Amino acid sequence: MASKSASGLKGAGVRWVQKVSSAPAFARVAPHVIPALDRAVHRATRGRVLLSAQLLPGVVLTATGARSGVPRRTPLACMPEEGGRSWLLIGSNFGRTDHPAWTANLLAHPDAVISWKGEDVPVTARLLQGEERAAAWKELLRFWPPYATYQARVEREIRVFRIVRR
């Protein structure tokens, strides 16, 4: 079902990146830097490269804005499932207090498009709840343990979506 490894990094490199990404300072800085870099590189390479995907698998989500109705592009880490038939998207917001805007967009407009390895894929998103969310969360923590730190830092329950090809 899930990928066994979150990244191509080995041993100590993965642990170092996980430790850094769990730090409160990372949560303050990363949301302003990582998405902007990802969008720029993704555009420049015509969808072939996503910088953050060098650490974790990633997609660029294009979803309709919940209030604006305007398409919004957001680079996101993901956990691929079923050999690329579905993905889990985690609304961790780097452990910040508010839900990320893209989660409200998917709640309002579940049909979206992702760029996955240079391919535009039409998808439908579904917010996971209850036992289904608990099972997915367990897999996500095996995949990328810092999600536990993000959850511990906030009072809200981090939203987890499963997106599937349409």
mmCIF file of all heavy atoms in Angstrom, residues 125-145:
data_model
loop_
_atom_site.group_PDB
_atom_site.id
_atom_site.type_symbol
_atom_site.label_atom_id
_atom_site.label_comp_id
_atom_site.label_asym_id
_atom_site.label_seq_id
_atom_site.Cartn_x
_atom_site.Cartn_y
_atom_site.Cartn_z
ATOM 1 N N ALA A 125 -10.929 14.428 -4.178
ATOM 2 C CA ALA A 125 -10.427 14.353 -2.798
ATOM 3 C C ALA A 125 -11.557 14.022 -1.833
ATOM 4 O O ALA A 125 -12.705 14.431 -2.027
ATOM 5 C CB ALA A 125 -9.806 15.694 -2.405
ATOM 6 N N ARG A 126 -11.178 13.284 -0.791
ATOM 7 C CA ARG A 126 -12.121 12.952 0.272
ATOM 8 C C ARG A 126 -11.408 13.081 1.608
ATOM 9 O O ARG A 126 -10.331 12.507 1.796
ATOM 10 C CB ARG A 126 -12.635 11.531 0.069
ATOM 11 C CG ARG A 126 -13.720 11.110 1.016
ATOM 12 C CD ARG A 126 -14.343 9.767 0.597
ATOM 13 N NE ARG A 126 -13.359 8.744 0.321
ATOM 14 C CZ ARG A 126 -12.784 7.986 1.248
ATOM 15 N NH1 ARG A 126 -13.079 8.136 2.517
ATOM 16 N NH2 ARG A 126 -11.905 7.062 0.910
ATOM 17 N N LEU A 127 -11.998 13.847 2.530
ATOM 18 C CA LEU A 127 -11.461 13.997 3.871
ATOM 19 C C LEU A 127 -11.658 12.686 4.618
ATOM 20 O O LEU A 127 -12.772 12.156 4.669
ATOM 21 C CB LEU A 127 -12.173 15.133 4.614
ATOM 22 C CG LEU A 127 -11.744 15.388 6.052
ATOM 23 C CD1 LEU A 127 -10.294 15.876 6.117
ATOM 24 C CD2 LEU A 127 -12.672 16.402 6.702
ATOM 25 N N LEU A 128 -10.582 12.157 5.198
ATOM 26 C CA LEU A 128 -10.678 10.908 5.955
ATOM 27 C C LEU A 128 -11.092 11.210 7.383
ATOM 28 O O LEU A 128 -10.630 12.186 7.992
ATOM 29 C CB LEU A 128 -9.341 10.171 5.941
ATOM 30 C CG LEU A 128 -8.798 9.790 4.562
ATOM 31 C CD1 LEU A 128 -7.537 8.943 4.708
ATOM 32 C CD2 LEU A 128 -9.839 9.055 3.734
ATOM 33 N N GLN A 129 -11.940 10.342 7.922
ATOM 34 C CA GLN A 129 -12.432 10.512 9.289
ATOM 35 C C GLN A 129 -12.494 9.156 9.980
ATOM 36 O O GLN A 129 -12.458 8.104 9.329
ATOM 37 C CB GLN A 129 -13.807 11.163 9.280
ATOM 38 C CG GLN A 129 -13.802 12.536 8.666
ATOM 39 C CD GLN A 129 -15.186 13.167 8.589
ATOM 40 O OE1 GLN A 129 -16.205 12.505 8.679
ATOM 41 N NE2 GLN A 129 -15.213 14.479 8.428
ATOM 42 N N GLY A 130 -12.582 9.195 11.293
ATOM 43 C CA GLY A 130 -12.797 7.989 12.085
ATOM 44 C C GLY A 130 -11.704 6.956 11.912
ATOM 45 O O GLY A 130 -10.511 7.275 11.874
ATOM 46 N N GLU A 131 -12.127 5.694 11.806
ATOM 47 C CA GLU A 131 -11.183 4.579 11.698
ATOM 48 C C GLU A 131 -10.325 4.661 10.442
ATOM 49 O O GLU A 131 -9.159 4.292 10.456
ATOM 50 C CB GLU A 131 -11.934 3.243 11.735
ATOM 51 C CG GLU A 131 -12.537 2.929 13.088
ATOM 52 C CD GLU A 131 -13.294 1.610 13.093
ATOM 53 O OE1 GLU A 131 -13.061 0.769 12.206
ATOM 54 O OE2 GLU A 131 -14.131 1.435 14.001
ATOM 55 N N GLU A 132 -10.927 5.142 9.360
ATOM 56 C CA GLU A 132 -10.172 5.264 8.105
ATOM 57 C C GLU A 132 -9.028 6.262 8.268
ATOM 58 O O GLU A 132 -7.904 6.016 7.830
ATOM 59 C CB GLU A 132 -11.106 5.685 6.978
ATOM 60 C CG GLU A 132 -10.439 5.658 5.616
ATOM 61 C CD GLU A 132 -11.381 6.040 4.493
ATOM 62 O OE1 GLU A 132 -12.389 6.753 4.727
ATOM 63 O OE2 GLU A 132 -11.093 5.636 3.350
ATOM 64 N N ARG A 133 -9.297 7.383 8.944
ATOM 65 C CA ARG A 133 -8.252 8.364 9.194
ATOM 66 C C ARG A 133 -7.197 7.783 10.130
ATOM 67 O O ARG A 133 -6.001 7.973 9.929
ATOM 68 C CB ARG A 133 -8.817 9.651 9.789
ATOM 69 C CG ARG A 133 -7.717 10.722 9.934
ATOM 70 C CD ARG A 133 -8.082 11.799 10.928
ATOM 71 N NE ARG A 133 -7.015 12.784 11.030
ATOM 72 C CZ ARG A 133 -5.939 12.637 11.820
ATOM 73 N NH1 ARG A 133 -5.765 11.542 12.540
ATOM 74 N NH2 ARG A 133 -5.017 13.584 11.860
ATOM 75 N N ALA A 134 -7.633 7.101 11.170
ATOM 76 C CA ALA A 134 -6.697 6.509 12.138
ATOM 77 C C ALA A 134 -5.742 5.536 11.448
ATOM 78 O O ALA A 134 -4.532 5.541 11.722
ATOM 79 C CB ALA A 134 -7.459 5.821 13.262
ATOM 80 N N ALA A 135 -6.255 4.703 10.570
ATOM 81 C CA ALA A 135 -5.404 3.750 9.845
ATOM 82 C C ALA A 135 -4.426 4.481 8.921
ATOM 83 O O ALA A 135 -3.238 4.135 8.855
ATOM 84 C CB ALA A 135 -6.268 2.779 9.039
ATOM 85 N N ALA A 136 -4.923 5.500 8.230
ATOM 86 C CA ALA A 136 -4.053 6.280 7.337
ATOM 87 C C ALA A 136 -2.993 7.022 8.146
ATOM 88 O O ALA A 136 -1.824 7.086 7.745
ATOM 89 C CB ALA A 136 -4.879 7.258 6.506
ATOM 90 N N TRP A 137 -3.377 7.585 9.290
ATOM 91 C CA TRP A 137 -2.442 8.336 10.134
ATOM 92 C C TRP A 137 -1.305 7.427 10.604
ATOM 93 O O TRP A 137 -0.140 7.825 10.620
ATOM 94 C CB TRP A 137 -3.185 8.956 11.316
ATOM 95 C CG TRP A 137 -2.335 9.869 12.136
ATOM 96 C CD1 TRP A 137 -1.835 9.624 13.383
ATOM 97 C CD2 TRP A 137 -1.839 11.158 11.767
ATOM 98 N NE1 TRP A 137 -1.076 10.685 13.810
ATOM 99 C CE2 TRP A 137 -1.063 11.643 12.835
ATOM 100 C CE3 TRP A 137 -1.990 11.952 10.627
ATOM 101 C CZ2 TRP A 137 -0.436 12.881 12.812
ATOM 102 C CZ3 TRP A 137 -1.368 13.184 10.607
ATOM 103 C CH2 TRP A 137 -0.600 13.637 11.680
ATOM 104 N N LYS A 138 -1.639 6.209 10.960
ATOM 105 C CA LYS A 138 -0.628 5.234 11.391
ATOM 106 C C LYS A 138 0.394 4.999 10.259
ATOM 107 O O LYS A 138 1.595 4.980 10.494
ATOM 108 C CB LYS A 138 -1.332 3.935 11.776
ATOM 109 C CG LYS A 138 -0.548 2.994 12.604
ATOM 110 C CD LYS A 138 -1.471 1.854 13.040
ATOM 111 C CE LYS A 138 -0.720 0.850 13.848
ATOM 112 N NZ LYS A 138 -1.575 -0.254 14.266
ATOM 113 N N GLU A 139 -0.104 4.851 9.048
ATOM 114 C CA GLU A 139 0.783 4.677 7.884
ATOM 115 C C GLU A 139 1.630 5.925 7.648
ATOM 116 O O GLU A 139 2.815 5.842 7.338
ATOM 117 C CB GLU A 139 -0.025 4.352 6.624
ATOM 118 C CG GLU A 139 -0.619 2.965 6.600
ATOM 119 C CD GLU A 139 0.443 1.878 6.586
ATOM 120 O OE1 GLU A 139 1.419 1.985 5.817
ATOM 121 O OE2 GLU A 139 0.294 0.912 7.355
ATOM 122 N N LEU A 140 1.001 7.089 7.784
ATOM 123 C CA LEU A 140 1.715 8.348 7.573
ATOM 124 C C LEU A 140 2.860 8.516 8.577
ATOM 125 O O LEU A 140 3.931 9.007 8.226
ATOM 126 C CB LEU A 140 0.758 9.538 7.668
ATOM 127 C CG LEU A 140 -0.156 9.733 6.468
ATOM 128 C CD1 LEU A 140 -1.302 10.674 6.811
ATOM 129 C CD2 LEU A 140 0.629 10.238 5.271
ATOM 130 N N LEU A 141 2.637 8.114 9.821
ATOM 131 C CA LEU A 141 3.687 8.246 10.837
ATOM 132 C C LEU A 141 4.851 7.297 10.567
ATOM 133 O O LEU A 141 6.000 7.626 10.869
ATOM 134 C CB LEU A 141 3.119 8.021 12.239
ATOM 135 C CG LEU A 141 2.145 9.088 12.720
ATOM 136 C CD1 LEU A 141 1.702 8.781 14.144
ATOM 137 C CD2 LEU A 141 2.719 10.483 12.614
ATOM 138 N N ARG A 142 4.568 6.138 10.004
ATOM 139 C CA ARG A 142 5.663 5.239 9.591
ATOM 140 C C ARG A 142 6.430 5.855 8.421
ATOM 141 O O ARG A 142 7.636 5.751 8.327
ATOM 142 C CB ARG A 142 5.116 3.872 9.185
ATOM 143 C CG ARG A 142 4.978 2.911 10.330
ATOM 144 C CD ARG A 142 4.835 1.479 9.838
ATOM 145 N NE ARG A 142 3.538 1.192 9.259
ATOM 146 C CZ ARG A 142 2.474 0.852 9.961
ATOM 147 N NH1 ARG A 142 2.530 0.755 11.252
ATOM 148 N NH2 ARG A 142 1.342 0.599 9.352
ATOM 149 N N PHE A 143 5.691 6.500 7.541
ATOM 150 C CA PHE A 143 6.248 7.103 6.335
ATOM 151 C C PHE A 143 7.091 8.334 6.656
ATOM 152 O O PHE A 143 8.182 8.519 6.118
ATOM 153 C CB PHE A 143 5.073 7.470 5.418
ATOM 154 C CG PHE A 143 5.438 8.076 4.106
ATOM 155 C CD1 PHE A 143 6.009 7.308 3.112
ATOM 156 C CD2 PHE A 143 5.162 9.407 3.851
ATOM 157 C CE1 PHE A 143 6.322 7.870 1.885
ATOM 158 C CE2 PHE A 143 5.473 9.968 2.628
ATOM 159 C CZ PHE A 143 6.052 9.194 1.647
ATOM 160 N N TRP A 144 6.576 9.214 7.541
ATOM 161 C CA TRP A 144 7.274 10.458 7.889
ATOM 162 C C TRP A 144 6.970 10.796 9.352
ATOM 163 O O TRP A 144 6.010 11.516 9.651
ATOM 164 C CB TRP A 144 6.834 11.580 6.953
ATOM 165 C CG TRP A 144 7.706 12.800 7.029
ATOM 166 C CD1 TRP A 144 7.343 14.031 7.509
ATOM 167 C CD2 TRP A 144 9.079 12.940 6.644
ATOM 168 N NE1 TRP A 144 8.410 14.910 7.437
ATOM 169 C CE2 TRP A 144 9.482 14.261 6.900
ATOM 170 C CE3 TRP A 144 10.009 12.052 6.103
ATOM 171 C CZ2 TRP A 144 10.771 14.730 6.639
ATOM 172 C CZ3 TRP A 144 11.284 12.511 5.832
ATOM 173 C CH2 TRP A 144 11.661 13.831 6.093
ATOM 174 N N PRO A 145 7.771 10.307 10.293
ATOM 175 C CA PRO A 145 7.517 10.490 11.733
ATOM 176 C C PRO A 145 7.322 11.939 12.201
ATOM 177 O O PRO A 145 6.588 12.153 13.175
ATOM 178 C CB PRO A 145 8.746 9.847 12.393
ATOM 179 C CG PRO A 145 9.193 8.816 11.399
ATOM 180 C CD PRO A 145 8.914 9.425 10.042
#
